Amino acid sequence: MTMHSATLAINEAIQKRRAAGEEVLHLGFGEAGLPVPDFIAEALRSAVGRNGYGAVVGSEEAREAAAGWFCRRGLATEAGQIIFAPGSKALLFAAIAALPGDLILARPSWVSYAAQAALLGKPVVEVPIPARSGGIPDPALLESAILEARARGGNPGILLLTVPDNPTGTVASEGDVRELCRIAEKYGLAVISDEIYAQTVHSGASAPSASAHLESRTIVTTGLSKSLALGGWRIGFARVPSNEWGDAVLQDMIGIASEVWSSLAAPMQAVAAHVLSEPDAVREHIQRSTRLHATVANAVCDEFLAVGAQCRRPEAGFYIYPDFEPVRATLERKGVRTSEELAAVLLDRYAVGVLPGAAFGDDASALRARVATSLLYGTSEQERWASLRAEDPLQLPWIAGSLEHLRAALQDLVS
Amino acid sequence: MTMHSATLAINEAIQKRRAAGEEVLHLGFGEAGLPVPDFIAEALRSAVGRNGYGAVVGSEEAREAAAGWFCRRGLATEAGQIIFAPGSKALLFAAIAALPGDLILARPSWVSYAAQAALLGKPVVEVPIPARSGGIPDPALLESAILEARARGGNPGILLLTVPDNPTGTVASEGDVRELCRIAEKYGLAVISDEIYAQTVHSGASAPSASAHLESRTIVTTGLSKSLALGGWRIGFARVPSNEWGDAVLQDMIGIASEVWSSLAAPMQAVAAHVLSEPDAVREHIQRSTRLHATVANAVCDEFLAVGAQCRRPEAGFYIYPDFEPVRATLERKGVRTSEELAAVLLDRYAVGVLPGAAFGDDASALRARVATSLLYGTSEQERWASLRAEDPLQLPWIAGSLEHLRAALQDLVS
């Protein structure tokens, strides 16, 4: 049985508590809680006449726009290398299904990779992340993990990298990505590079990509859910290399897409074509959103550090991944011995919703949780616009109040 | 390797020939070639602000509307029994994945069922359709097919019915559906009832549903792609029974949905909520569309009958499934010995695009093809609206011209 995705499940659970009148601090879900700017709404409005099925891969217009988008990021790309789908999640599923061999994942990593592999009956090889950043197997451990898997009769074939990362909110270094690609090449692995957070790097720098080091064997997946807060519009796309291998993988992904979801909704393809041409309004909106993500994620990180937890500084997106190991003794006295118990006590006693590290495949006994910070921007469109426009969003009453709620909870938890 | 869905593939192939200036008669694709009426366009326009992920199953509003829609069709249903997805195809995939046992299919049947089973590593048991209608295994053959499959070590667990049917355009009888349900109950099968064409019955009658005979074990899938020509909007939904079994199947379908596509795009859920409340404009539009489908499908059927092919009269949707067996000797003299060769000669020599029966799992040597008639309504919005409004659409020059093209092709083929 495939379990309901942990991230989507906690979102629904918290929505229900809120609907019942409970005041819950929603740090459980990776939704970029921002409204739809009018220039994007207009792109959808003007596409309502499009009701034909169209090509599985997406319209020429949308594929051209995506190719241009990659070209402007230094990766020469033609429209024929692009496939759209209802969300990059669907494309990850298709890529994992299309590529031969077992799946190598960072531990912890986003909840759906392992679940997709399980659905496809594909074994998973888990490799711990390095101390410096998440989203990647520790390069120092990858080679031995491959050899051990082979010795056990396994056949590691796919290396999945999440750069920038969910759950840790960090960005792997260029050197680490290069080294992982070197090992991938040595062992004939394919690389899936999940770059859904690449437009949300807080510094504005570009994130490292496997496609810069092992372009010939890398499939990039991305979409508009995070950078433009369009999760509910389900716009994802992927790029395959322009070679025989890439052509074959794309054909197989098209086959899977055509038998499971057909295509991205036609009006959403029109939105993608517009947005990926990157008019100034889009660039500015993404910059402003990213600044807000950075400010709030860092403020939340500060709260965890203040009570003695460890936490990598967030570098992209809207997540942090605190670790209560330094205060384990205190928590254990309160009966908190696992990440599940940590998440449970935070939700039940303090009305703070986070996801346990175990949901990301992390050691169950590690006292880690993923904390998403993007639903603090407000519950109404008005509040969210105000957050986006504020000079100092931390002073807005709903954000300040949430931080206060979190602070009180954490102080009591570790007292 | 999962092959590109045959129906979507021929659509793309013909679009390319047309783009290259070739005049191709497109009878290959089951797209209800009609424009978006303004009252539906407006429902999407007014939902552009919805960008949150929301629940995997769909919004309460959309689920309530779908439940009401089933209730008005005599099937008591609550919102909790409904799941939405980007297309009913995705829900068929989830249901086939969620249900245990091998898949029993009619031969011929829609192209994607067997492909989904293959993708899931699930064996298929094929049972020929009766002479009177397609979409169902011949009730006289089902029981022995189950026993034979078991004797071979198989475990038939799911009976898939397509009522009304694609590819034959027929509607199984109430008696046949009842008898199939009786056998399904006897052998503990689950039933998936694909009712995507149920709103397009030419007579206006309701189509038989397994949910009237074995409600406790039936999953119904449907959507807005056919009745409202919204294929490119990807709006599908399913109903599970309100019992322990249905709850468990739904939970498993939610799990799969959450890990592969997350949810139907939020603005499309708003469209579904509006349309499924069935304002008069929706009912009238569906009635008018169905009248057009009936007129044109029957006219195309006449052309095949006129040259000596056999063909069941179309009763729903916009398909016919002619059989050239009575003129096999003539066709064989021209080198046409299989359905693939039949489709190839029609496309290459006569610029008539149809799908070979083999694409639907039919005997390769049978000279049968699926002929979709809904792309004859015109190539522009203007032509399509005119078709919809015409007293006698067969007199419109683009439809009359297409019938003329087809007539000349068929007369030459059998001469």
Side-chain angles (χ1 to χ4, degrees), chain A residues 5 31 53 89 112 258-259, chain B residues 5 31 53 89 112 258-259:
Chain A
S5 152
E31 174 162 275
Y53 284 84
K89 187 187 276 185
S112 290
S258 77
E259 302 299 11
Chain B
S5 152
E31 174 162 275
Y53 284 84
K89 188 187 275 186
S112 290
S258 77
E259 302 298 10

Side-chain angles (χ1 to χ4, degrees), chain A residues 113-253:
Chain A
Y113 305 133
Q116 291 184 340
L119 186 55
L120 292 163
K122 200 177 267 278
V124 166
V125 179
E126 293 187 332
V127 186
I129 59 175
R132 53 196 175 273
S133 67
I136 56 168
D138 188 334
L141 304 178
L142 177 59
E143 197 153 3
S144 59
I146 293 169
L147 295 173
E148 279 166 33
R150 286 186 176 178
R152 287 193 309 271
N155 175 33
I158 315 169
L159 174 63
L160 206 153
L161 307 179
T162 316
V163 185
D165 183 38
N166 168 17
T168 64
T170 60
V171 184
S173 73
E174 192 76 57
D176 280 351
V177 172
R178 187 190 306 114
E179 172 63 6
L180 291 166
C181 286
R182 187 191 64 76
I183 299 167
E185 188 166 26
K186 178 172 172 185
Y187 290 94
L189 307 180
V191 179
I192 299 176
S193 183
D194 180 348
E195 303 182 3
I196 189 87
Y197 295 97
Q199 306 310 301
T200 67
V201 177
H202 297 169
S203 68
S206 58
S209 172
S211 60
H213 304 289
L214 188 58
E215 196 269 341
S216 63
R217 297 273 295 175
T218 295
I219 296 168
V220 177
T221 63
T222 185
L224 306 184
S225 298
K226 307 303 178 184
S227 60
L228 285 165
L230 293 176
W233 288 19
R234 316 301 311 122
I235 300 174
F237 57 105
R239 175 198 187 273
V240 302
S242 174
N243 56 28
E244 207 174 312
W245 180 84
D247 293 347
V249 172
L250 180 60
Q251 282 312 309
D252 212 0
M253 289 176 70

Side-chain angles (χ1 to χ4, degrees), chain A residues 1-6 8 11-12 29-32 34-36 41-42 44-57 86-87 89-91 93 97 110-113 115-116 119-120 225-226 228-234 248 251-252 254-268 381 384, chain B residues 1-6 8 11-12 29-32 34-36 41-42 44-57 86-87 89-91 93 97 110-113 115-116 119-120 225-226 228-234 248 251-252 254-268 381 384:
Chain A
M1 161 146 183
T2 305
M3 294 300 298
H4 190 162
S5 152
L8 296 170
N11 186 46
E12 296 182 25
F29 191 49
E31 174 162 275
L34 293 168
V36 182
E42 186 50 37
L44 179 53
R45 269 188 226 111
S46 63
V48 296
R50 305 195 184 199
N51 62 330
Y53 284 84
V56 170
V57 286
K89 187 187 276 185
L91 292 164
F93 175 79
W110 180 54
V111 299
S112 290
Y113 305 133
Q116 291 184 340
L119 186 55
L120 292 163
S225 298
K226 307 303 178 184
L228 285 165
L230 293 176
W233 288 19
R234 316 301 311 122
Q251 282 312 309
D252 212 0
I254 291 172
I256 292 159
S258 77
E259 302 299 11
V260 183
W261 60 79
S262 293
S263 63
L264 173 60
M268 297 306 178
E381 285 229 350
R384 290 169 171 193
Chain B
M1 162 146 182
T2 304
M3 295 300 297
H4 190 161
S5 152
L8 296 170
N11 187 45
E12 297 183 24
F29 191 50
E31 174 162 275
L34 293 169
V36 182
E42 187 50 36
L44 179 53
R45 271 188 225 112
S46 63
V48 297
R50 306 196 184 198
N51 63 330
Y53 284 84
V56 169
V57 285
K89 188 187 275 186
L91 291 165
F93 175 79
W110 181 53
V111 299
S112 290
Y113 305 132
Q116 291 184 341
L119 185 56
L120 292 162
S225 298
K226 307 304 178 183
L228 286 164
L230 293 175
W233 288 19
R234 315 298 312 122
Q251 283 312 310
D252 212 359
I254 292 172
I256 292 159
S258 77
E259 302 298 10
V260 183
W261 60 80
S262 293
S263 63
L264 173 61
M268 297 305 178
E381 284 228 350
R384 291 168 170 194

Side-chain angles (χ1 to χ4, degrees), chain B residues 33-397:
Chain B
L34 293 169
V36 182
D38 199 60
F39 59 89
I40 293 179
E42 187 50 36
L44 179 53
R45 271 188 225 112
S46 63
V48 297
R50 306 196 184 198
N51 63 330
Y53 284 84
V56 169
V57 285
S59 67
E60 266 310 294
E61 180 197 19
R63 297 176 88 197
E64 289 285 356
W69 186 89
F70 278 112
C71 288
R72 286 191 296 281
R73 281 153 183 79
L75 191 57
T77 305
E78 294 187 355
Q81 295 171 251
I82 302 293
I83 176 171
F84 280 85
S88 64
K89 188 187 275 186
L91 291 165
L92 286 160
F93 175 79
I96 293 171
L99 294 167
D102 308 347
L103 181 63
I104 304 173
L105 290 182
R107 186 174 74 225
S109 60
W110 181 53
V111 299
S112 290
Y113 305 132
Q116 291 184 341
L119 185 56
L120 292 162
K122 200 177 266 280
V124 166
V125 178
E126 294 187 332
V127 184
I129 60 175
R132 52 197 175 271
S133 66
I136 56 167
D138 188 334
L141 304 177
L142 177 60
E143 196 153 2
S144 59
I146 293 169
L147 295 173
E148 278 166 33
R150 285 186 176 178
R152 287 193 309 269
N155 174 34
I158 315 169
L159 173 63
L160 207 153
L161 307 179
T162 316
V163 185
D165 183 38
N166 168 17
T168 63
T170 60
V171 185
S173 73
E174 192 77 56
D176 280 352
V177 172
R178 188 189 307 116
E179 172 63 5
L180 291 166
C181 286
R182 187 191 63 77
I183 298 168
E185 188 166 25
K186 178 172 173 186
Y187 291 95
L189 307 180
V191 179
I192 300 176
S193 183
D194 180 348
E195 303 182 2
I196 189 88
Y197 294 97
Q199 306 310 301
T200 66
V201 177
H202 298 169
S203 68
S206 58
S209 171
S211 60
H213 304 290
L214 188 58
E215 197 269 342
S216 63
R217 298 274 295 175
T218 296
I219 297 169
V220 177
T221 63
T222 186
L224 306 184
S225 298
K226 307 304 178 183
S227 60
L228 286 164
L230 293 175
W233 288 19
R234 315 298 312 122
I235 299 173
F237 58 104
R239 176 198 186 274
V240 302
S242 175
N243 56 26
E244 207 173 312
W245 180 83
D247 294 346
V249 172
L250 180 59
Q251 283 312 310
D252 212 359
M253 289 175 71
I254 292 172
I256 292 159
S258 77
E259 302 298 10
V260 183
W261 60 80
S262 293
S263 63
L264 173 61
M268 297 305 178
Q269 294 183 33
V271 171
H274 176 70
V275 164
L276 294 176
S277 71
E278 294 183 281
D280 286 345
V282 168
R283 292 177 200 263
E284 282 158 23
H285 186 72
I286 291 175
Q287 277 170 14
R288 190 182 285 185
S289 304
T290 300
R291 203 165 54 225
L292 176 63
H293 299 326
T295 304
V296 176
N298 274 285
V300 172
C301 184
D302 288 339
E303 300 295 344
F304 284 88
L305 293 171
V307 298
Q310 293 175 334
C311 196
R312 294 175 185 84
R313 271 284 158 202
E315 299 170 320
F318 28 75
Y319 305 115
I320 58 169
Y321 196 66
D323 185 343
F324 285 86
E325 188 60 33
V327 292
R328 174 179 284 275
T330 310
L331 266 63
E332 288 198 346
R333 275 202 308 277
K334 299 185 173 194
V336 175
R337 287 177 169 75
T338 66
S339 67
E340 298 276 3
E341 288 167 356
L342 175 65
V345 77
L346 281 170
L347 185 58
D348 296 337
R349 195 174 315 159
Y350 301 107
V352 173
V354 301
L355 272 180
F360 299 84
D362 211 345
D363 298 336
S365 64
L367 296 176
R368 297 192 270 261
R370 195 204 62 178
V371 177
T373 59
S374 49
L375 291 177
L376 302 184
Y377 305 155
T379 49
S380 66
E381 284 228 350
Q382 201 183 359
E383 284 181 357
R384 291 168 170 194
W385 275 120
S387 295
L388 207 48
R389 287 169 179 151
E391 267 305 301
D392 184 0
L394 304 178
Q395 299 303 318
L396 293 169

